[in-house]
Every structure is written in structure tokens, then in C-alpha cells.
């Protein structure tokens, strides 16, 4: 069954529609890899599970959902059924009124002793329950903060009170933030700001709250599901990598080929400032690791003049990783952009003011995410900020340097193209690799590599940071690879984990970023690891290759090191070799540093 994501986007703004779509999605999801999502709440969230399934499907994410029993979120946490479900993520949606409603009416007259009791019963009680969850599961835990629904009974004088209603809520929310700021398992969902954004008076229902404990209006449930997908995108490794941009009436107002440099609208004040600040936002996304590319029907010379000479052009040529400025079909350009970046089409987000171009990409390249820009250019910024596909649980050093690394890769390709002989290219590249034991500093990037790397990944085991930490504590051997050449840093681009079994070494993970492939780095990395294992204990090594749609190029990788295949099936190949006679062959054109 083929379900149209575009149709779902248009029809998923009501609970009834989401319930219908969720049934259809369930029919096709039986053989799909799904994430286990648990929903616990102190108020009624009927329909949220179906809305979440529907909204996630648009992001290519399939879900199995566990819904806690009504009014029993504490019992669910302390029971066993929740943990038997083996959740990947737990949403804990709590309403401060439901936790302690009496405080709303009496906050101005309570004593400090009563206030401390309130804090103990709400804050400390919640923290203890979260600690219990953490002891039972490594699932991500998303806790909503408290919202300021009703104004205080003390009116404008509330800000003068030590026990002011808004002060109590702010203290509660700030304590949550501070408690879990450095906790990589627990995240705070800013329910208060989200509800204020969509409109508290319109979507928080006192009427249904008193009759059915339905505090959010039915119209708000699909919007809540949309917001919660922000946490499911990184959980399912669906984060987008690159924004592909049109130019005319997208990065500036007007058409450069017709209006000329002085005629286009782009300025920090007055006419054209929406484009100026839209570029500011794009540059900010670039600095946090989202690549920028151009796909525009234009004359190259006209565009270059804007980038070089317009006084208010925020984005510069070096901020753009790939440019396709020509009169070709935009779908063809999009395919070439993906090929040059060595990413899948599903990693791209296309932004174009022209409806015809957007429809072309939707129809011909359905894997590309097309952002539907409003006709009002002043709403571009909010449209991009509302998009959930760039969310991540962690920013690493490699994320911040990604654009610079891709520009350096362009220089390498140009340099390689100028040299016909591969050996000459490699000898002149000044390659240096550093092989480091994974420590606390390298854990985030190592986990990120297991989650993102597909092409050169022998087993495609996906791990979170806590998993890597436990592997280290268990005594397994974990290495990370850092690569540098004459053009600059590649960063941490390789990871290998070896389990120490009683009778053998077992390669659990062996992977490299596609950025460093084709330079013999992968052979030196793994060859060095084998030599280290031999020094520790020259027992045999067993390795596994698990085929996926993307890693066919590495199916015979272990053959290079004289492993022999001892088992083969549709799901895996098992390779093995003894280390007694292993000799590491270091290539002369690669310098190796061990840390």
C-alpha cells in the first residue's frame, strides 16, 4: 500500500484524520523497524498516540506506542509493564495544576514551611520517580515543564510576593532545567512556551478540564504530536544534513537577472530585511553543522556579483558547499548535489519560493524533503524554525566544523582531478592518522558515528553514549580514528569496537565516514588494530558482516586481511583468522600516531 506523505501533511491537523491514517500506517509497518514510544500523562491525551504515529510517518519514522493508564502515571513508573515494553523514549507530560492544584488558590497565604512541603511533594517526588525510571531503562526521558495557564489570584501584585504564583512556576521550571542540564538521558520539553506559542486561551480547555480532565483541546493534540516529533527525529537517526536553496525571492527579494545588483531587496533595515535575517538564520544553522547548497536557474556571473559585491549579503561563497547555478532541470541538479556530497536524497531539504519547482521535486524525488514556503516572505524565518528535521540530542566538535570539512574535501577532489596517478595523489597528500582509545571526550562522537554511518559500516550496530560508556567499563577495546592531511582536518571519522571473549577477539563494530574512503586509511586503521590485539593476546579474531541496502562495498573487507569465511547467510557473513602470523604492513605515505 502506498500512502502519500503529502496527503497526510494536508489531512493530519485533526484527531479524527490522524486516527484514520494511523490505522493505515499500522497495516504497512509490521515489517518496518519501529521505535518504542511510551506516553505517560497527568491529564487526558486521547488521540495523541495516533497523531504521533501519523506525524512521525511523514518523517519516515514508524512507532509502536505504549499509553499509560489514565491518571496512573506514577503507578506506571513504579510498575513493570512500562519496562517490559522496552521503550526507546518516554514522554512524561505533567500539568502542575494536576500535581498540586490547591497551591494556585492559596499560594499568597501559605507559609514557607508549606511552600517547602509543596516543593518536596512536586519537585523532589518527581525527581525521585525519574531516578527510578533511569534505574530501569536507558530510554530517553522527556519531561514537560509547568505552564502558566491561569493568571494569579493576586493580580499585578504577584510579582512582589516571595510566594508569587508565577515565581513558584518559574522556580519549578528552572529547577528542572538545572537538575538535568548535563544529563544526556533526560530532556525538558518547554510545554509552557509551546502552549503560549499556539495560544493558551484557545487551546487550554477549562470546560473539558472539569468534565473529562481533557485540558488540551482536541485541536491542539495534532500540534502537540508535531512538536514531540522533535525528539523522535534524532532518536530514529532521521536528522537532515543539507539545505538546498533557491536564490531569487528566496535568499533575496526580486530577480537578479532582471533587477540587477542594486534592484534586489536585501538589507538589515527597511525593505528586504526579511531576506537579510533569513540568511542570518541559515548561517547560524550552517555553524551548527547543517550544510548549505544552491540549486538555482540563473546566470553564474549575476549570482557571483551578488555574493562578492552586495553590501548586505550575509552568506558568502565559502558558506555554500555545492552550487548548481544553471538552466538545467532542478531535479537533475538535486541528484548531482546528493552525489557530490555523498549523501542520500533523504538527507536534503529543498527551499524554493516557486510552487512549480517544489512540485517537481515532490513528484520526481519523493525522498527529498520540500519545505513549503509561504507566499509572504516575512514568514520564511518562522517556517524554517518550525521545521523539526534538524534536531539532535548532541552537538559535537565535528558538527561545528562540518561545513569547513566539506570545503576542504572539495579542494581534495579538485587536487585529485588534477593528478591522474592515484599513487602520486596519495604520496603528496601528507596523510596523518591518529588512533586513540575512546575516552569520555570521544564518547559523544563515537556514538554519533555508529548512528550515522551507513556505507562503510560492517555491522550497522547503533549505539547511544551510555552504551559506549558501558562497553568501556566492561573492558572492551574501543578505538577512534582522527585523520588530517595537507588541506586540513577530517576530524574523528572512524570507530572500532572489539569484544574480549574467552577464546577469541570479536569485532563488534568497524566503521568509517565516507569522507576518508579511497585513501587506504581504512586498511591502516584496521591493520593497526589487529597488531594491537596481537600484542595483547594472539588469539583468533572473529568478525561479522551484516548486509544492508548501503554497505555492499565492504562485504569483502576482511578478505584484505586474510580472514576466511566460516559461515554465510542472507543476514550475515562470519569471518575469522588467527593472529599468530599476522604482520602489520604500514604504508609509507601515511603517518600513524598512537594515543
Amino acid at each position: 500500500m502506498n500512502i502519500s506523505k503529502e496527503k497526510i501533511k494536508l489531512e493530519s491537523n485533526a484527531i479524527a484524520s490522524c486516527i484514520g491514517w494511523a490505522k493505515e500506517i499500522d497495516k504497512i509497518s509490521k515489517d518496518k523497524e519501529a521505535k518504542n514510544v511510551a506516553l505517560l500523562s497527568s491529564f487526558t491525551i486521547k488521540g495523541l498516540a495516533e497523531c504521533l504515529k501519523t506525524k512521525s510517518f511523514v518523517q519516515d519514522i514508524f512507532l509502536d506506542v505504549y499509553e499509560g493508564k489514565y491518571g496512573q502515571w506514577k503507578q506506571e513508573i513504579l510498575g513493570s509493564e512500562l519496562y517490559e515494553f522496552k521503550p526507546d523514549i518516554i514522554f512524561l507530560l505533567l500539568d502542575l495544576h494536576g500535581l498540586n492544584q490547591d497551591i494556585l488558590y492559596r499560594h499568597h497565604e501559605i507559609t514557607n514551611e508549606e511552600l517547602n512541603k509543596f516543593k518536596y511533594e512536586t519537585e523532589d517526588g518527581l525527581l525521585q520517580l525519574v531516578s527510578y525510571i533511569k534505574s530501569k531503562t536507558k530510554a530517553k526521558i522527556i519531561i514537560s515543564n509547568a505552564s502558566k495557564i491561569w493568571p494569579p489570584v493576586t493580580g499585578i501584585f504577584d510579582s512582589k510576593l516571595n510566594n508569587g504564583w508565577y515565581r513558584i512556576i518559574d522556580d519549578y521550571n528552572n529547577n528542572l532545567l538545572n537538575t538535568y542540564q548535563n544529563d544526556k538521558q533526560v530532556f525538558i520539553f518547554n510545554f509552557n512556551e509551546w502552549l503560549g506559542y499556539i495560544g493558551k486561551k484557545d487551546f487550554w480547555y477549562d470546560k473539558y478540564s472539569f468534565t473529562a480532565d481533557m485540558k488540551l483541546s482536541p485541536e491542539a493534540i495534532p500540534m502537540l504530536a508535531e512538536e514531540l516529533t522533535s525528539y523522535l527525529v534524532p532518536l530514529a537517526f532521521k536528522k537532515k544534513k543539507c539545505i538546498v536553496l533557491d536564490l531569487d525571492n528566496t535568499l533575496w527579494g526580486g530577480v537578479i537577472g532582471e533587477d540587477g545588483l542594486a534592484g534586489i531587496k536585501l538589507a538589515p533595515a527597511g525593505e528586504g530585511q526579511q531576506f537579510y535575517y533569513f540568511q542570518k538564520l541559515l548561517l547560524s544553522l550552517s555553524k551548527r553543522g547543517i550544510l548549505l547548497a544552491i540549486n538555482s536557474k540563473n546566470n553564474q556571473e549575476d549570482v557571483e556579483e551578488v555574493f562578492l559585491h552586495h553590501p548586505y549579503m550575509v552568506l558568502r561563497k565559502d558558506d555554500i558547499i555545492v552550487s548548481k547555478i544553471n538552466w538545467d532541470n532542478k531535479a537533475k541538479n538535486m541528484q548531482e548535489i546528493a552525489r557530490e556530497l555523498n549523501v542520500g536524497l533523504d538527507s536534503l531539504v529543498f527551499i524554493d519560493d516557486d510552487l512549480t519547482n517544489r512540485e517537481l521535486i515532490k513528484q520526481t524525488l519523493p525522498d527529498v524533503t520540500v519545505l513549503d514556503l509561504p507566499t509572504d516572505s516575512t514568514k520564511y524565518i518562522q517556517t524554517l524554525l518550525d521545521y523539526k528535521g534538524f534536531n539532535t540530542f548532541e552537538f559535537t566538535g565535528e558538527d561545528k566544523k562540518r561545513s569547513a570539512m566539506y570545503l576542504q574535501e572539495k579542494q581534495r577532489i579538485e587536487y585529485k582531478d588534477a593528478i591522474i596517478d592515484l599513487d602520486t595523489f596519495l604520496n603528496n597528500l601528507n596523510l596523518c592518522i591518529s588512533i586513540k582509545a575512546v575516552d569520555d571526550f570521544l564518547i559523544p562522537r563515537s556514538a554519533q558515528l555508529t548512528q550515522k554511518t551507513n556505507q562503510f559500516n560492517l555491522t550497522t550496530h547503533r549505539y547511544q553514549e551510555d552504551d559506549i560508556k558501558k562497553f568501556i567499563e566492561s573492558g572492551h577495546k574501543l578505538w577512534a580514528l582522527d585523520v588530517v592531511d595537507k588541506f586540513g582536518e577530517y576530524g574523528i571519522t572512524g570507530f572500532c569496537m572489539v569484544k574480549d571473549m574467552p577464546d577469541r577477539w570479536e569485532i563488534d563494530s568497524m566503521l568509517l565516514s565516507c569522507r576518508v574512503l579511497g585513501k587506504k586509511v581504512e586498511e591502516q586503521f584496521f591493520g593497526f588494530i589487529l597488531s594491537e590485539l596481537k600484542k595483547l593476546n594472539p588469539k583468533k579474531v572473529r568478525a561479522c558482516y551484516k548486509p544492508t541496502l548501503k554497505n555492499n562495498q565492504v562485504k569483502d573487507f576482511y578478505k584484505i586481511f586474510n580472514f576466511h569465511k566460516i559461515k554465510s547467510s542472507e543476514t550475515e557473513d562470519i569471518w575469522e583468522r588467527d593472529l599468530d602470523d599476522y604482520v602489520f604492513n604500514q604504508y609509507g605515505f601515511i603517518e600513524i600516531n598512537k594515543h
Side-chain angles (χ1 to χ4, degrees):
M1 182 184 298
N2 186 22
I3 302 178
S4 168
K5 293 179 187 175
E6 288 303 315
K7 191 173 183 181
I8 288 179
K9 282 183 186 178
L10 295 173
E11 297 180 2
S12 61
N13 294 322
I15 288 182
S17 297
C18 287
I19 290 174
W21 281 118
K23 291 178 181 177
E24 297 301 316
I25 292 168
D26 283 342
K27 292 177 184 177
I28 66 170
S29 65
K30 290 180 172 51
D31 61 341
K32 305 289 186 180
E33 182 180 350
K35 292 297 178 182
N36 289 348
V37 175
L39 298 175
L40 307 181
S41 178
S42 63
F43 55 90
T44 300
I45 51 173
K46 187 175 178 59
L48 180 59
E50 291 83 358
C51 291
L52 202 56
K53 284 185 178 182
T54 304
K55 298 291 185 180
S56 297
F57 176 77
V58 176
Q59 302 280 359
D60 294 316
I61 302 170
F62 291 89
L63 305 179
D64 286 331
V65 181
Y66 175 92
E67 296 181 82
K69 298 178 183 67
Y70 169 70
Q72 299 184 37
W73 65 274
K74 290 182 181 178
Q75 294 92 321
E76 292 281 357
I77 291 173
L78 297 173
S80 61
E81 194 174 349
L82 170 66
Y83 308 106
E84 290 169 0
F85 176 67
K86 296 182 179 179
D88 296 301
I89 190 167
I90 300 170
F91 289 105
L92 196 52
L93 305 173
L94 304 177
D95 163 36
L96 191 56
H97 299 73
L99 296 177
N100 197 321
Q101 194 174 62
D102 187 56
I103 197 80
L104 168 67
Y105 305 103
R106 298 185 55 248
H107 66 88
H108 57 291
E109 61 179 7
I110 62 174
T111 64
N112 287 333
E113 183 179 354
E114 288 177 299
L115 181 60
N116 289 333
K117 181 184 178 184
F118 158 77
K119 289 181 177 180
Y120 174 78
E121 291 175 348
T122 53
E123 295 174 29
D124 293 356
L126 175 60
L127 300 188
Q128 289 172 18
L129 287 170
V130 173
S131 293
Y132 184 78
I133 296 174
K134 292 177 66 176
S135 73
K136 303 289 285 186
T137 176
K138 60 183 180 182
K140 296 291 185 185
I141 305 165
I142 316 301
I143 310 171
S144 65
N145 69 2
S147 56
K148 300 173 182 176
I149 305 299
W150 293 331
V153 297
T154 47
I156 62 173
F157 194 68
D158 185 73
S159 64
K160 301 297 182 182
L161 298 173
N162 288 332
N163 296 342
W165 177 234
Y166 285 163
R167 190 187 303 276
I168 290 172
I169 293 178
D170 285 340
D171 286 347
Y172 171 86
N173 288 343
N174 287 332
N175 286 341
L176 280 181
L177 281 176
N178 293 334
T179 299
Y180 297 112
Q181 182 176 359
N182 297 315
D183 190 315
K184 294 182 179 180
Q185 187 177 356
V186 182
F187 289 78
I188 305 302
F189 166 40
N190 199 330
F191 183 77
N192 181 56
E193 291 299 320
W194 171 78
L195 191 58
Y197 178 66
I198 67 169
K200 292 178 182 177
K201 282 192 173 183
D202 292 330
F203 296 108
W204 187 265
Y205 269 23
D206 290 343
K207 175 182 176 181
Y208 295 140
S209 174
F210 290 121
T211 58
D213 200 22
M214 186 182 290
K215 297 178 179 179
L216 275 177
S217 75
E219 292 81 6
I221 295 296
M223 290 188 277
L224 177 60
E226 180 82 26
E227 190 66 24
L228 295 184
T229 60
S230 300
Y231 299 93
L232 300 179
V233 166
L235 184 77
F237 317 121
K238 296 294 184 179
K239 175 190 167 187
K240 304 301 180 183
K241 296 179 180 178
C242 178
I243 300 174
V244 183
L245 297 152
D246 180 43
L247 295 175
D248 294 328
N249 290 310
T250 301
L251 286 191
W252 53 72
V255 179
I256 183 61
E258 298 174 2
D259 301 320
L261 188 65
I264 61 173
K265 299 176 179 65
L266 180 64
E271 193 175 23
Q273 61 179 306
Q274 67 267 35
F275 298 102
Y276 178 84
Y277 287 104
F278 184 56
Q279 288 195 32
K280 285 270 191 182
L281 173 58
L282 289 165
L283 182 61
S284 181
L285 288 169
S286 173
K287 298 298 184 185
R288 51 155 282 197
I290 308 301
L291 305 176
L292 302 180
I294 289 175
N295 185 356
S296 174
K297 290 189 175 183
N298 245 309
N299 291 321
Q300 181 77 39
E301 298 78 10
D302 293 336
V303 173
E304 291 229 354
E305 188 177 13
V306 181
F307 274 88
L308 292 174
H309 301 300
H310 197 286
Y312 301 124
M313 190 66 186
V314 176
L315 296 174
R316 315 311 299 176
K317 287 182 68 176
D318 284 350
D319 298 316
I320 308 301
I321 305 304
V322 178
S323 290
K324 297 297 173 185
I325 302 168
N326 51 45
W327 299 98
D328 291 343
N329 182 298
K330 285 204 172 186
K332 175 176 175 288
N333 283 343
M334 193 70 72
Q335 291 173 310
E336 291 182 2
I337 288 170
R339 190 159 44 248
E340 288 188 28
L341 292 176
N342 202 14
V343 300
L345 289 167
D346 59 354
S347 295
L348 306 181
V349 177
F350 182 51
I351 298 181
D352 192 321
D353 70 293
D354 187 87
L355 178 60
T356 303
N357 288 326
R358 298 203 300 265
E359 284 301 311
L360 170 69
I361 300 301
K362 288 178 184 179
Q363 295 297 324
T364 59
L365 303 174
D367 287 343
V368 175
T369 296
V370 178
L371 205 61
D372 285 317
L373 286 183
T375 54
D376 183 354
S377 58
T378 62
K379 297 180 180 178
Y380 284 5
I381 292 173
Q382 195 61 61
T383 301
L384 185 53
L385 286 172
D386 283 342
Y387 178 63
K388 311 302 179 190
F390 301 125
N391 279 293
T392 181
F393 287 131
E394 181 79 28
F395 291 133
T396 67
E398 273 68 24
D399 290 325
K400 297 174 184 177
K401 297 185 289 186
R402 182 166 289 113
S403 291
M405 290 176 176
Y406 269 87
L407 283 172
Q408 290 164 3
E409 184 61 18
K410 282 179 67 176
Q411 293 176 311
R412 293 183 188 103
I413 293 171
E414 291 169 358
Y415 177 68
K416 183 178 180 181
D417 289 344
I419 299 175
I420 298 176
D421 181 69
L422 178 61
D423 290 337
T424 302
F425 167 71
L426 292 175
N427 281 318
N428 291 331
L429 203 52
N430 299 340
L431 273 166
C432 177
I433 65 174
S434 297
I435 300 170
K436 310 174 182 182
V438 175
D439 55 17
D440 288 345
F441 177 75
L442 292 171
I443 285 174
R445 177 57 177 167
S446 298
Q448 187 183 61
L449 280 170
T450 70
Q451 296 160 14
K452 294 171 54 178
T453 308
N454 295 303
Q455 293 173 309
F456 196 102
N457 192 334
L458 277 297
T459 54
T460 325
H461 292 160
R462 309 298 193 188
Y463 294 124
Q464 300 289 345
E465 291 180 35
D466 285 345
D467 299 320
I468 302 294
K469 191 175 295 184
K470 288 176 183 176
F471 289 137
I472 295 173
E473 292 170 352
S474 299
H476 298 313
K477 308 302 177 186
L478 292 82
W479 289 276
L481 175 71
D482 194 357
V483 183
V484 179
D485 66 16
K486 67 190 291 182
F487 294 103
E489 300 179 12
Y490 292 84
I492 303 297
T493 47
F495 172 76
C496 182
M497 180 168 73
V498 183
K499 292 183 176 179
D500 189 357
M501 311 296 283
D503 62 334
R504 66 181 184 270
W505 298 107
E506 191 167 290
I507 311 298
D508 176 273
S509 298
M510 173 62 195
L511 56 93
L512 276 87
S513 168
C514 58
R515 296 204 310 272
V516 296
L517 299 182
K519 304 174 180 67
K520 306 287 187 180
V521 166
E522 61 274 20
E523 297 175 18
Q524 293 292 272
F525 181 40
F526 189 65
F528 178 85
I529 287 171
L530 291 180
S531 68
E532 291 296 294
L533 295 178
K534 181 179 178 181
K535 292 175 188 176
L536 293 169
N537 190 333
K539 55 190 175 183
K540 63 185 175 183
V541 181
R542 185 171 294 176
C544 177
Y545 164 70
K546 294 183 178 182
T548 69
L549 293 175
K550 297 183 178 181
N551 73 349
N552 185 62
Q553 64 171 305
V554 296
K555 65 179 181 178
D556 293 324
F557 175 72
Y558 291 118
K559 190 183 292 186
I560 299 172
F561 301 91
N562 295 322
F563 280 67
H564 60 280
K565 197 182 295 185
I566 63 172
K567 178 184 175 183
S568 183
S569 69
E570 290 184 0
T571 57
E572 64 178 11
D573 293 336
I574 305 298
W575 298 79
E576 196 173 80
R577 74 153 292 164
D578 291 320
L579 285 177
D580 288 328
D581 60 346
Y582 177 74
V583 177
F584 175 46
N585 177 29
Q586 182 175 347
Y587 300 147
F589 60 86
I590 297 181
E591 178 184 344
I592 299 178
N593 294 322
K594 177 191 173 185
H595 295 274

